[in-house]
Amino acid sequence: CEVTIEGSRVPVYYHSVAAMRRMLGPAFQLKQAVGLRAFLPVPGWEHLQRLTSSAVLRGLDRAWCRFSPTATLADHFVSVWRFKP
């Protein structure tokens, strides 16, 4: 996938946990995955916040993003890996 930033084309990669596991090899162990914004609008789109002001939706987003199996299905996620030689 590519995006354009200030007129320049930049490649963008969306790696799955399985793909990262293959790239890193058996010496790395996934310790944690945390999702970022599964159901809520991304920062910078505050005009959409009024549509998602429900406490239920915020709670669902928080739970979805903290649960490791579903965290990687969020818009973005952060993964923490431990190296064990």
Side-chain angles (χ1 to χ4, degrees), residues 35-65 73-76:
L36 306 171
R37 301 279 183 157
F39 302 109
L40 298 174
V42 296
W45 290 15
E46 285 82 10
H47 63 284
L48 296 177
Q49 291 291 350
R50 62 183 168 78
L51 302 173
T52 59
S53 61
S54 165
V56 172
L57 188 57
R58 286 193 310 270
L60 178 63
D61 189 79
R62 191 169 34 256
W64 183 277
C65 289
L73 301 174
D75 288 341
H76 303 282

Side-chain angles (χ1 to χ4, degrees), residues 17-40:
V17 169
M20 288 189 284
R21 185 174 278 124
R22 283 190 303 275
M23 287 185 275
L24 292 170
F28 285 87
Q29 179 183 16
L30 178 65
K31 297 308 290 179
Q32 183 179 16
V34 177
L36 306 171
R37 301 279 183 157
F39 302 109
L40 298 174

